[in-house]
Amino acid sequence: METKQKEVMIERIPIERIPMEARHTNWWDMFATWVGANANNGTWFVGGVLAACGFAVAMNVLVISSALSYVFLSLVGYMGYKTGLSTMSLSRASFGERGSYLPSLVNITQFIGWTAVNTFIAAQSVGLILTQLLGWPSFGQPGGAKGLVVGIIVMSILHILSVSAGSRSIQMIERLGIILVLVFVIWESVAVFKTVSLTEIAHWQVPAKARMTTGAAIDYVAAFNLAWVTAGADFTRFTPSRANSVVSPFVGAMVGVLWFAFIGLISTISIAITSGTYNANNSDPSTIAAKLGLGVIALLVIVLTSMTANAVNLLGAGSALSNIFPKLNLKLALWIVVILATVVTLIPMFVGSFLDTFESFLDYVAMVLGPTIAIICTDFYWKAKRHYQVEEFGRVKGRYWYKGGVNPAAIITFVVGVVIFLACQKQTFFVNTVGITFIDMVVSSLLYMVLSKLQRS
């Protein structure tokens, strides 16, 4: 009898599932989580870089590309509600029990990357505060790296505090963060419109050499927004309401991205108008706040609001790490990813401008997330007809074991999707029109359907 029990334990990988009776996330908390996820430094920076499209094109791209991306957030959100599993645990059904390590690695790298982006911008704010209070040289000047490094260390300590109690402390950070964000955005808007009018902003012309094409902008925004999709179920598995799992993520994320990207957009254009020069490298919140003369308090708010987005980033990375190492509890996984993110945050100091690093990172995100999300959604809604056998998750040689724990159809589709992105991303037609990200997702979905049918036959 004892031997049989040991065999059963060996044949099952522990998977954390949230039962319905343990779910307590309400509508406001879910909405605040996703508003807070996008009401951050990275969104502001995206809006500032999109100024290279001009105001009208930038706003159209933001609305359309964001809405398309967050349809997938709602789809994954429902999957989390239906099963009680995290997104990376759900990927075991489509990629296989062992194959799910691939999307988990993708998730770890991209969420650590986003944490580093927000941390770097917030660290610049800390550096500017030290410049104003202590007279330290600012980043970019001789000796200016000292303030930035101190800022990175400060932000890392704040991140550790923010995840100290797991998902509960993250929920508290989101509640506080959304209030601070609201105050800051109003303050920023007043400062901008004291300088220039909305009419002037709308009619500002982008310098020809700095102009961004429509297709490139669509891919740019899609990469930013799709990053949240693979964290969708990590939060919706904590709600007892189906409608909350679908509606709140979509509405909250849309409000957050349009709200904060708009502020980044108008702030960057206003500085271009008043200074006579447009420089995409000046699109980050810390630089803009300093140029608008908002002072130390504004820089402190930037530091605190970066915690709202990074709370979501860290939970997404921590959940993915727990999927690869199921015996690793979530709190310890969160601590590990905080340390990794701290190291990654130092990279822009050595490889060139922050903007170049950021754009290369977005290319990577779009390349790997498009096929991954397409496979996960197609598997659940088409192949499984919206029903997974939850008791089979984690079972060695069970329903989702496939061949050696890996689903060949998913792996082949992923590789082909990456190749398509790399081959078409710089092609003139896609760059000037609709981009390649969403087309790549459609092709990946269709290919997965075909391969799954062949596999079953």
Side-chain angles (χ1 to χ4, degrees):
M1 184 69 177
E2 186 177 350
T3 303
K4 288 184 178 181
Q5 288 178 341
K6 287 182 179 179
E7 288 176 355
V8 170
M9 291 178 65
I10 292 172
E11 292 296 315
R12 183 169 291 278
I13 303 167
I15 302 294
E16 182 187 26
R17 177 174 179 263
I18 308 300
M20 193 63 71
E21 62 272 14
R23 303 182 188 185
H24 305 293
T25 299
N26 58 33
W27 281 81
W28 171 250
D29 283 333
M30 187 67 72
F31 175 75
T33 292
W34 291 106
V35 172
N38 272 335
N40 65 73
N41 303 323
T43 313
W44 187 336
F45 192 73
V46 165
V49 173
L50 284 178
C53 297
F55 181 78
V57 174
M59 287 305 301
N60 286 333
V61 167
L62 271 172
V63 172
I64 296 170
S65 188
S66 297
L68 285 173
S69 300
Y70 292 139
V71 166
F72 291 99
L73 179 62
S74 290
L75 292 174
V76 173
Y78 175 75
M79 293 167 66
Y81 159 80
K82 183 74 181 290
T83 62
L85 299 173
S86 69
T87 313
M88 290 301 99
S89 292
L90 285 164
S91 71
R92 290 172 178 269
S94 50
F95 282 83
E97 296 289 350
R98 289 175 174 166
S100 67
Y101 297 165
L102 173 60
S104 293
L105 285 171
V106 167
N107 234 25
I108 291 170
T109 54
Q110 68 112 350
F111 279 124
I112 285 177
W114 281 118
T115 301
V117 166
N118 286 310
T119 300
F120 190 88
I121 295 173
Q124 287 181 303
S125 291
V126 175
L128 288 170
I129 291 171
L130 294 173
T131 297
Q132 294 185 30
L133 296 181
L134 303 178
W136 288 16
S138 59
F139 183 62
Q141 297 177 341
K146 178 173 65 173
L148 186 65
V149 171
V150 170
I152 292 172
I153 293 171
V154 168
M155 290 308 304
S156 298
I157 293 172
L158 290 175
H159 291 151
I160 289 174
L161 293 175
S162 73
V163 301
S164 59
S167 60
R168 179 59 62 183
S169 62
I170 290 173
Q171 190 178 77
M172 292 172 62
I173 288 293
E174 296 297 341
R175 289 176 178 176
L176 173 63
I178 194 171
I179 297 171
L180 291 173
V181 165
L182 176 61
V183 172
F184 184 58
V185 166
I186 294 172
W187 186 8
E188 174 82 7
S189 301
V190 170
V192 168
F193 290 121
K194 275 185 177 179
T195 308
V196 295
S197 68
L198 184 59
T199 301
E200 289 177 286
I201 290 172
H203 288 90
W204 173 73
Q205 295 296 312
V206 185
K209 63 180 181 180
R211 183 172 294 277
M212 177 183 285
T213 63
T214 303
I218 289 172
D219 282 340
Y220 194 85
V221 176
F224 177 80
N225 289 318
L226 289 173
W228 293 129
V229 174
T230 51
D234 297 22
F235 293 88
T236 57
R237 63 181 178 150
F238 291 102
T239 181
S241 166
R242 178 175 62 180
N244 192 19
S245 71
V246 175
V247 176
S248 294
F250 182 89
V251 176
M254 282 294 292
V255 168
V257 73
L258 295 180
W259 183 15
F260 237 52
F262 173 77
I263 296 302
L265 175 63
I266 63 172
S267 300
T268 303
I269 293 177
S270 71
I271 289 175
I273 292 172
T274 54
S275 68
T277 304
Y278 170 69
N279 184 353
N281 282 294
N282 292 334
S283 303
D284 70 273
S286 301
T287 301
I288 290 175
K291 287 182 178 292
L292 290 174
L294 298 183
V296 171
I297 295 177
L299 296 172
L300 283 172
V301 174
I302 291 173
V303 169
L304 294 174
T305 54
S306 72
M307 294 171 63
T308 64
N310 279 347
V312 181
N313 288 325
L314 292 168
L315 184 60
S319 296
L321 188 62
S322 296
N323 182 60
I324 297 176
F325 303 102
K327 294 182 180 180
L328 191 67
N329 67 65
L330 181 58
K331 188 181 294 187
L332 180 56
L334 288 170
W335 281 61
I336 292 172
V337 295
V338 167
I339 294 169
L340 291 173
T342 302
V343 175
V344 174
T345 305
L346 299 170
I347 292 176
M349 296 177 63
F350 304 101
V351 298
S353 75
F354 174 70
L355 177 62
D356 292 339
T357 306
F358 184 61
E359 290 181 338
S360 297
F361 171 64
L362 282 182
D363 286 342
Y364 163 76
V365 170
M367 177 183 73
V368 295
L369 283 189
T372 300
I373 293 167
I375 292 166
I376 290 173
C377 290
T378 303
D379 189 86
F380 179 77
Y381 288 96
W382 175 78
K383 183 180 173 183
K385 303 294 188 293
R386 296 188 299 171
H387 177 73
Y388 280 151
Q389 295 182 19
V390 178
E391 66 279 359
E392 287 291 309
F393 279 81
R395 183 180 170 190
V396 176
K397 298 182 180 179
R399 182 178 180 83
Y400 306 119
W401 189 250
Y402 298 100
K403 294 184 178 181
V406 176
N407 181 5
I411 302 301
I412 293 171
T413 301
F414 177 85
V415 172
V416 172
V418 168
V419 171
I420 289 173
F421 183 90
L422 291 173
C424 300
Q425 183 197 15
K426 302 299 182 183
Q427 295 299 314
T428 303
F429 172 78
F430 297 109
V431 169
N432 291 328
T433 55
V434 295
I436 188 59
T437 303
F438 292 115
I439 292 175
D440 190 21
M441 293 179 75
V442 171
V443 173
S444 296
S445 179
L446 293 173
L447 177 60
Y448 184 70
M449 288 180 182
V450 172
L451 293 178
S452 294
K453 279 192 172 184
L454 292 174
Q455 199 171 42
R456 279 187 290 187
S457 63

